[in-house]
Amino acid sequence: MRENIYFHFMHTLVLFNLSLVLLLFNATTAFTISHHQLVAAAGGDANTCIDKERQALLDFQDQLRQLGELIGSWTPEEDYDCCEISLSLLNLTYLNYLDLSRNSLYGTIPESIGSMTRLTYLDLGQNQLTGSIPDSIGNMAHLTHLDLSQNQLTGTIPEYIGNMTQLIHLDLGQNSLHGTIPKSIVNLTNITFLNLGENNFCGTIPMSVGSLTKLTHLGLSQISVYGAILPEFGNLANLVSLSLTIPSVENLDWLSSLSKLNDLNLDGSSLAKPNNLVDVIIGLQNLSSLSLRGCDLSQGMHLYSSSANSSSSVADLYLDNSNLNSSMFPWLCPLMGNNLAFLHISGNKFDGKLSDFLNSLSACTSSVNKLFALDASSNQFTGSLSDEIQSFSNLEELNLASNQLDGTINDKLWQLINLQHVDLSFNRLRGRISELTQVSHVPWLKLSNNLIEGFPFTGNWKELSYIDLRYNKLGPRFPEGIKTLNGLLIHLDLSNNNISDTFPTSAGNKCSLSLNGYFNLSFNNMSGKLPDFQSNVDLKIVDLSSNNFHGRVPVFPAYISYLDLSRNKFHGRISFLCHLYERLEFLDLSNNSLTGPLPDCLRNFTTLRVLNLGHNFLSGKLPPSIRYLSQLEMLCLYNNSFSGKLHSYLKNCTKLSLLDLGANKFSGNVPVWIGENLPSLYVLNLRSNNLFGNIPLQICHLITLQILDLSKNNLHGTIPPCVNNLTAMVQKRLFVKNNVHQFHVALLEGGLFGYREMVYNSYFDHLMIEWQGKVSEFSSILGLVKTIDLSSNNLTGKIPYELTDLHGLLVLDLSNNTLVGEIPRDIGQMKELLTLNLSRNFFSGKIPSSMSQIARLDHLDVSYNNLSGKVPSGTQLQSFPPEWFTGNVALCGPPVKKCLKDEDLGVPPVGDSDGDAESTDELQRWFYIGGATGFTTAFWIACSALLFNRRLRHAFFRLHDCLKDWVYVKVLVFVAKLQRVARA
């Protein structure tokens, strides 16, 4: 990032200096900084320059120069911020044109911006600005253009906005503004462009909007307003574009008055009540684009009026996710006039054979050859890709993904000479791709998740730039056709294809493929050494995981953003990291044989979000530069040999949601800063290290924590009673998205669908969890898991009763400690428990009867404690193996030994005897006192013998290892009985 900003500012600085030469002879009137240009325009009195403004520009220039000098030493701790709006600009009180759009600016809009009262044009759009719109903006009475769109602004629109009566263009869309739309908006009588859409406004749309009769563009989409559309909207006769979302549309009569309307967007509106939608649309003769996405058109729709004798003028029709089905096609057909060029009906319930649908579509519009784009994805069409497709001779984009198509791909598809984009993914298509040379003109090809068996293309493929063939049957050889492509590939995905070949290389061990953008060969069976990829300078995403590649990690382009080499056989050190730069967002090198330390060059990775180095042979201490990973969300170093104390370097990684340092050699205390500085943790795994000391109370601050594993350390002290503050474990609801990280990378803009080609990679966290005695890897369902594992430590004291408040907990393992006391009687309220392990402690008393309320419990281990009494009956406990209860000699009932009844011992049951109950208690008391006396006498006799007889002593200690557990349990049981007698 530093290098990017450096070049950007140096470029800006050069342009600034050139502009400054002109500026020094003229008064300042205009200033533009964008990613395109920097302009200072002349105006005002000739050969004059106001000293204050000259100095302001010189100050700003000096800031840029300083950035050039300091940029190499930037650190997260620096107070200086290079991407905030410079206050020096605010001294340019005579400035009338300021464009800072698309510059990644963040921070707040300065309140003092209102001092720039001569501004007529202000554009801060498409940045990352936060905070509220300052009230002082109302002082800028000369503004005609104000654009604050596509930021992260909050708060309300100031009432003072009504003071800006000269405004012609106002765009506040795509922010997080809330509150109501101010009534003062009525004062903007000159406004022609008004966009408030995609915010969090509530209330009703002010009636005053209907009085802004000069409006040509009005955007009020995706806002949470309620109430009916006002009839006053019919007064906006000059509207050319209208974007509106209303929960309940009573009628559409007002639309008929908007005769100039060219673009109508009612996405997300409820259109169940109006019965004249088709008639109104047909009546708007200038309407070119109609969008009704997510409108649920299944209710209240009626056929168009028989008196309507004209066809729709709509060219672009968007009906995605509107609950349509094939039976509704008759009323849908009139909307598809003879100008139809783009048809989007994805995410609906159209079914039947695809050929029938294509024939019906041809019947609706007499000029099917005008249709450029058809998106019918995510429906229920069946059958093969039939000959009817050839009727759409000018088709450029076809999307039939996620249907139920089968058969082979019809060769007539490739004969559509204008075809640019084909998406047939997620169907049941089979066979081999056609070898017709005509297919070479299709640059975008998506055929993933089918049964395609080969890619036999040969010849000159200069146009092919996007290939997605994942989840097919291309193997076992690497497709020869791919090797012959000499065009510029920006996307190649051959993952999950059973390819068991070596990677194609050229002379000098270089990659022989022309790769840029995205490359995925994961989940195959490819082997051998990988070539270097440094010549593919624009390669942004590489996923070669889950293969059998070996050797050292190859060289990748310095500006790669996503690299996954996990689950291979790479070895050697990972010093190659020091050659990568700040664009890296994702790095997974787990499950290899990498060695050596983690290099201390991580200060470059200020954008890194996921770092997984687990299951290697890495060693050494964590480097200090790990503190610079301020955007890190997931860190996994599991199963290596890292050592040393857990220094506070990681406390700067405040966005961490998963911290897995398990199965290493870390020592020292569990750090307090984990609870104080990492508030977003849902996984904390420190198992199998050399940690000691108490469990810090600050752990209870982690209210989002779902998985806590501190097992197999040397921790002592008690379990903190504040554990019930871990509210994510208290709640029963599921947090299924906690373990998913989304990565969006732009590769190319274009396409008739008007999209920007993005790659959306979803990465699921991985974690090793001990589950019912076996360590298993969890990934996609990790967000559903809620566990506490404190086993194999030296914890003492009782189980805090607050622990039973964790109603959502699935696994609780406290085994192999020195815990005492009784099992909490309210443990039955932990109804979600699947596994409970309390074995090898010193718990006493009975198994609580409330445990019978845990209906889902399928693994219970209370072995080797001092439990007594009868196992609660009438529950699933009787079906558990006896070994889960062994080592509790006073425990009886199924599934362990049969309980002895009072009459079997020859003792009348209490309450049934005619004798005195007190005499029975006295007898039992003397029985235990006598037993204690006998035990003491025998004990000292044995000790004396061992003390004075060396041979006997040696024999005893040889026997000791065999008998110690049995004797230990017997003694503890006896002492427990004595304690009960004493209490009685």
Side-chain angles (χ1 to χ4, degrees), residues 443-445 462-468 485 487-493 514-520 536 538-541 745-750 755-759:
W444 298 79
L445 191 60
K462 292 182 179 180
E463 300 298 324
L464 194 57
S465 59
Y466 188 110
I467 304 175
D468 186 353
L485 299 182
L488 185 63
L489 283 174
I490 67 167
H491 187 116
L492 176 60
D493 193 338
S514 299
L515 297 171
N516 289 277
Y518 180 95
F519 179 45
N520 192 338
N536 304 99
D538 292 323
L539 202 55
K540 296 179 181 179
I541 297 179
V745 180
L747 298 182
L748 187 68
E749 292 191 27
Y755 58 79
R756 187 180 185 190
E757 179 54 37
M758 302 285 289
V759 174

Side-chain angles (χ1 to χ4, degrees), residues 257-466:
S257 303
L258 309 182
S259 58
K260 296 181 181 180
L261 207 58
N262 179 266
D263 184 350
L264 176 60
N265 182 337
L266 297 177
D267 288 352
S269 297
S270 175
L271 300 176
K273 294 183 179 179
N275 59 8
N276 59 344
L277 171 64
V278 178
D279 281 331
V280 170
I281 298 303
I282 292 176
L284 298 173
Q285 291 300 306
N286 289 310
L287 191 65
S288 175
S289 177
L290 174 64
S291 184
L292 302 175
R293 291 187 176 104
C295 287
D296 191 4
L297 301 176
S298 62
Q299 301 294 325
M301 294 295 102
H302 299 271
L303 293 177
Y304 67 103
S305 170
S306 57
S307 61
N309 52 15
S310 60
S311 63
S312 168
S313 60
V314 172
D316 305 344
L317 184 57
Y318 303 89
L319 301 173
D320 310 278
N321 302 299
S322 291
N323 205 17
L324 297 168
N325 57 55
S326 295
S327 65
M328 303 177 70
F329 203 84
W331 73 261
L332 186 62
C333 191
L335 296 178
M336 303 176 186
N338 294 329
N339 294 320
L340 189 65
F342 298 82
L343 177 60
H344 300 249
I345 56 171
S346 68
N348 284 291
K349 299 178 181 178
F350 290 105
D351 56 9
K353 291 187 176 181
L354 178 64
S355 56
D356 294 339
F357 168 75
L358 295 177
N359 285 328
S360 299
L361 185 57
S362 298
C364 284
T365 173
S366 59
S367 53
V368 294
N369 57 346
K370 289 185 178 181
L371 192 67
F372 293 137
L374 172 61
D375 184 354
S377 60
S378 299
N379 280 284
Q380 301 169 22
F381 291 120
T382 59
S384 61
L385 192 60
S386 58
D387 291 351
E388 283 79 7
I389 196 68
Q390 65 185 338
S391 301
F392 302 87
S393 56
N394 281 318
L395 203 62
E396 295 185 12
E397 302 203 17
L398 176 64
N399 189 349
L400 297 174
S402 301
N403 279 283
Q404 301 172 25
L405 302 178
D406 55 20
T408 58
I409 300 176
N410 197 311
D411 287 347
K412 289 185 169 56
L413 174 65
W414 311 123
Q415 295 174 13
L416 302 178
I417 59 174
N418 293 316
L419 204 60
Q420 298 289 310
H421 181 121
V422 175
D423 190 349
L424 302 176
S425 57
F426 291 91
N427 281 287
R428 302 169 186 167
L429 299 169
R430 61 182 185 273
R432 300 174 67 85
I433 302 173
S434 169
E435 295 194 41
L436 293 176
T437 56
Q438 289 93 332
V439 75
S440 63
H441 65 274
V442 182
W444 298 79
L445 191 60
K446 298 182 180 181
L447 300 174
S448 63
N449 295 82
N450 280 287
L451 302 172
I452 305 298
E453 296 175 0
F455 192 90
F457 295 155
T458 57
N460 188 0
W461 293 86
K462 292 182 179 180
E463 300 298 324
L464 194 57
S465 59
Y466 188 110

Side-chain angles (χ1 to χ4, degrees), residues 122 137 143-148 161 164 167 169-172:
L122 176 60
I137 209 164
L143 270 185
T144 60
H145 182 108
L146 176 60
D147 191 340
L148 305 178
I161 204 83
M164 308 168 73
L167 271 180
H169 181 111
L170 175 59
D171 193 347
L172 304 178

